[in-house]
Amino acid sequence: MFVNDKPRAQTYTRKQDSLFIISRDYKRPQFYKEPINYTTIQLYFEEPIGLTSCYSEQDGSINKLVALGNHSYKKVNAKGLENLYFYKDGRLIKASIDGGVIQFELVATTKM
């Protein structure tokens, strides 16, 4: 990931047998033994029904997912930043994102 043409984070995730090896910014790798069934990028494509966590491809951490009711969810990342996701018929219709460096809102305008 680059910000202003400078590297902000370099995260590598590799699966070896049933173990995930996660390396960030060339530091000593961490090992994660639990299965990774859902990732943060999936929040943009499918509703996380019944899930309580997701893997962040950006920083190699497990983020907390909280169901808020009415097909809305809060994701809390490792830094405590919160993002909100709203779905209709299983598809994302709105997201409020706090990326630390930038905050923005995504809104679906047409049905694909």
Side-chain angles (χ1 to χ4, degrees):
M1 183 170 106
F2 288 82
V3 175
N4 295 328
D5 295 324
K6 295 179 183 176
R8 178 167 164 83
Q10 293 186 9
T11 304
Y12 300 94
T13 305
R14 187 173 82 235
K15 185 176 181 188
Q16 185 174 333
D17 300 320
S18 63
L19 186 69
F20 289 91
I21 302 167
I22 302 164
S23 177
R24 181 164 191 233
D25 296 331
Y26 303 106
K27 294 179 183 171
R28 186 181 185 143
Q30 297 178 348
F31 302 94
Y32 189 69
K33 296 178 183 179
E34 299 298 317
I36 295 174
N37 298 316
Y38 193 86
T39 63
T40 55
I41 196 69
Q42 286 177 273
L43 288 165
Y44 295 102
F45 301 100
E46 58 188 77
E47 185 174 355
I49 297 171
L51 299 175
T52 58
S53 65
C54 63
Y55 176 69
S56 171
E57 307 90 334
Q58 178 183 334
D59 66 9
S61 66
I62 302 298
N63 292 181
K64 182 178 178 180
L65 286 176
V66 179
L68 302 174
N70 200 26
H71 302 280
S72 61
Y73 302 83
K74 174 172 62 173
K75 178 183 72 78
V76 183
N77 72 13
K79 294 180 181 178
L81 299 176
E82 298 180 355
N83 298 338
L84 299 174
Y85 300 86
F86 304 89
Y87 298 84
K88 182 176 181 181
D89 299 325
R91 299 182 101 167
L92 183 68
I93 58 169
K94 181 178 171 184
S96 296
I97 308 297
D98 183 352
V101 175
I102 186 172
Q103 294 81 36
F104 60 94
E105 192 168 273
L106 296 170
V107 179
T109 57
T110 60
K111 187 175 181 179
M112 298 179 110

